[in-house]
Amino acid sequence: MDLIENLKAMNEVLWVNPDYEPFEKIYPHLEIKKEDVIEAKERFERFEPFIKKAFNLDSGIIESKIDEIDDYKRWYENEIGEKIQGKILLKRDDLLPIAGSIKGRGGVYEVLKIAENLAIQQGILNREDDYSILLEERFKDFFNQFTIQVGSTGNLGLSIGMISSRLGFSVIVHMSKDAKQWKKDMLRANGVKVIEYEDDYSKAVEMGRMESEKDPNSYFIDDENSKDLFLGYAVGGLNVKEQLEDMGIEPDETHPLVVFLPCGVGGGPGGVLYGLKLAYKDIVHCYFAEPTHSPSMLLGLATKKHNEISVFDIGLDNRTCADGLAVGRPSGFVGKFIENMIHGCFTVSDEKLFYYLKGLYSSENIFIEPSSLAGFNGISFTKDLYSGKSPYYIMWATGGSLVPEIERVKLLK
Ligand SMILES: *Cc1c(COP(=O)(O)O)cnc(C)c1O
């Protein structure tokens, strides 16, 4: 069966990118440079005193740890009845402050940038200031004249809502039907206006964009096209190098860094991929993971139609319990940016997400949300590509720490 037939049949598939190019060759042609990612990293740093105080944290650094999950590895080896060469690492973006998901990178970053630009233009903030002054009432009054809007399946809305409301902005989140009730409740409890649609993610984004255009004081966070979101995510990829060095891990040809990233519209995994590429060039191999019901990025890349094709066009329904990945049409901006950098994409069935959840929970006592487990199919899928090598596998856990106890119990069941 050819690829599209397999996607239509909702079979799990691996697509290996035939257009991969060495990083050095494509870098000169890219419109986003390493300096841009470093500038984003520095902006995060300026905001550390604010984040620390505003969210009552031990540190204002928006970063997550990397765990080695040996017990999971043993569980999985036992399940599949064979040894896995290499180490398995879990990147804990489920624990990121503010949003409890990878959206704490991109979503938070874009709002910080808007706030900083507005305050500097107004002459009430300097880059050299201690940014915790942003908690003063006069800043809230100032930011309150502006509205931030976003369309989301849940987590992006949560991240934008939490950071924007803390700064004092008015916030409107346009939620797709996939969004979980607890996410809407949490936002409303924080003074965020939530508008619900009986439609999917693309519609929520479209409505948000339209509403925002009506108001000159409104900023729309455009998940499908935003370079700032992308930069916020890219910082996470770049930071991995230092973290792994601290763990004594230095990937090379025989020990490549193989990273599995759950993908929705593409901004999160795309940005992280780019940061990783800047740090590791061709030693890092990135694969995106999507539900069999919503393989939008795979479809866009494989057909080269990017945002001009959706999973509905091949008869799929975009219905999945991986709510964070329920996106039918990928970002055209991200797809085109990464088309020669990504190693491949694969799909995962909803049932498998729960299988991996059980495995991770029983072996490591770690709970992450279903979307976050999509990458766990990667090891078996790419096995033949790495025979004779001993990779460092990174499963990028993209969300989960804010899931309420009662929802956890349901999911684990
Ligand atoms: C948003 C999200 C992703 C994917 O990010 P995109 O930018 O939509 O591709 C993955 N996992 C979780 C939990 C998410 O919330």
Side-chain angles (χ1 to χ4, degrees), residues 193-373:
K193 183 168 174 191
V194 178
I195 303 180
E196 300 171 57
Y197 298 91
E198 259 318 300
D199 224 313
D200 82 342
Y201 162 86
S202 303
K203 183 73 178 179
V205 171
E206 187 190 322
M207 294 305 288
R209 193 182 284 127
M210 217 168 73
E211 285 301 312
S212 191
E213 276 167 7
K214 291 183 192 159
D215 176 357
N217 276 344
S218 175
Y219 291 85
F220 179 65
I221 311 282
D222 192 338
D223 200 14
E224 291 176 326
N225 300 297
S226 169
K227 303 212 163 61
D228 286 327
L229 279 176
F230 189 85
L231 285 169
Y233 293 122
V235 172
L238 196 62
N239 285 347
V240 164
K241 186 156 192 218
E242 218 177 285
Q243 289 187 302
L244 289 185
E245 275 168 10
D246 286 346
M247 295 168 76
I249 293 177
E250 303 216 3
D252 57 33
E253 291 283 341
T254 44
H255 307 81
L257 187 61
V258 179
V259 186
F260 302 123
L261 294 144
C263 178
V265 73
V272 167
L273 172 153
Y274 188 50
L276 285 166
K277 280 281 163 194
L278 289 172
Y280 288 108
K281 305 198 168 67
D282 299 309
I283 297 296
V284 67
H285 301 186
C286 296
Y287 297 84
F288 289 1
E290 295 176 296
T292 49
H293 287 252
S294 313
S296 53
M297 185 56 81
L298 195 168
L299 187 63
L301 286 168
T303 60
K304 297 193 166 57
K305 291 191 175 154
H306 301 292
N307 57 334
E308 274 151 34
I309 191 164
S310 104
V311 301
F312 297 109
D313 298 337
I314 60 164
L316 297 178
D317 62 4
N318 192 29
R319 278 175 191 270
T320 165
C321 61
D323 46 318
L325 314 181
V327 173
R329 188 183 296 279
S331 161
F333 149 61
V334 174
K336 287 169 203 162
F337 193 85
I338 61 158
E339 64 187 350
N340 306 117
M341 284 183 240
I342 188 170
H343 268 69
C345 294
F346 55 85
T347 56
V348 56
S349 70
D350 278 24
E351 300 78 68
K352 279 277 196 62
L353 298 175
F354 289 105
Y355 165 75
Y356 293 122
L357 175 60
K358 183 183 108 184
L360 186 65
Y361 190 76
S362 62
S363 61
E364 300 277 348
N365 201 26
I366 293 174
F367 172 90
I368 54 180
E369 62 186 89
S371 301
S372 240
L373 291 141

Side-chain angles (χ1 to χ4, degrees), residues 45-286:
E45 284 163 8
R46 288 196 291 281
F47 274 93
E48 279 170 21
F50 166 79
I51 301 279
K52 178 170 190 269
K53 228 172 164 176
F55 296 94
N56 211 355
L57 301 165
D58 295 334
S59 144
I61 302 174
I62 300 184
E63 195 40 84
S64 70
K65 61 175 177 163
I66 298 173
D67 286 335
E68 197 176 324
I69 47 170
D70 258 349
D71 290 335
Y72 171 81
K73 184 180 170 188
R74 272 188 287 277
W75 175 83
Y76 194 56
E77 284 175 338
N78 197 38
E79 287 287 305
I80 59 175
E82 52 185 282
K83 284 264 169 236
I84 295 165
Q85 289 307 314
K87 269 189 203 313
I88 307 183
L89 307 165
L90 188 66
K91 175 64 173 165
R92 302 298 305 275
D93 272 7
D94 55 306
L95 301 176
L96 275 185
I98 307 174
S101 79
I102 190 170
K103 305 300 192 301
R105 301 184 182 279
V108 169
Y109 176 72
E110 182 155 355
V111 174
L112 296 180
K113 184 171 175 192
I114 292 171
E116 185 184 55
N117 284 345
L118 283 170
I120 288 176
Q121 271 167 29
Q122 182 73 3
I124 52 177
L125 184 73
N126 286 304
R127 289 187 169 199
E128 295 72 37
D129 287 338
D130 175 331
Y131 278 20
S132 61
I133 59 170
L134 291 167
L135 284 164
E136 292 168 15
E137 219 47 49
R138 62 190 172 104
F139 282 97
K140 286 196 183 156
D141 292 342
F142 171 64
F143 291 133
N144 201 249
Q145 310 166 65
F146 304 95
T147 304
I148 308 269
Q149 303 202 43
V150 65
S152 171
T153 61
N155 283 341
L156 185 63
L158 203 56
S159 128
I160 303 277
M162 299 307 276
I163 184 71
S164 306
S165 63
R166 203 69 190 84
L167 282 157
F169 287 108
S170 305
V171 205
I172 306 175
V173 175
H174 302 262
M175 286 286 203
S176 70
K177 67 167 187 293
D178 317 279
K180 295 281 175 268
Q181 190 58 41
W182 67 267
K183 294 180 184 173
K184 299 181 227 174
D185 295 343
M186 188 182 271
L187 284 172
R188 289 190 172 120
N190 280 280
V192 173
K193 183 168 174 191
V194 178
I195 303 180
E196 300 171 57
Y197 298 91
E198 259 318 300
D199 224 313
D200 82 342
Y201 162 86
S202 303
K203 183 73 178 179
V205 171
E206 187 190 322
M207 294 305 288
R209 193 182 284 127
M210 217 168 73
E211 285 301 312
S212 191
E213 276 167 7
K214 291 183 192 159
D215 176 357
N217 276 344
S218 175
Y219 291 85
F220 179 65
I221 311 282
D222 192 338
D223 200 14
E224 291 176 326
N225 300 297
S226 169
K227 303 212 163 61
D228 286 327
L229 279 176
F230 189 85
L231 285 169
Y233 293 122
V235 172
L238 196 62
N239 285 347
V240 164
K241 186 156 192 218
E242 218 177 285
Q243 289 187 302
L244 289 185
E245 275 168 10
D246 286 346
M247 295 168 76
I249 293 177
E250 303 216 3
D252 57 33
E253 291 283 341
T254 44
H255 307 81
L257 187 61
V258 179
V259 186
F260 302 123
L261 294 144
C263 178
V265 73
V272 167
L273 172 153
Y274 188 50
L276 285 166
K277 280 281 163 194
L278 289 172
Y280 288 108
K281 305 198 168 67
D282 299 309
I283 297 296
V284 67
H285 301 186
C286 296

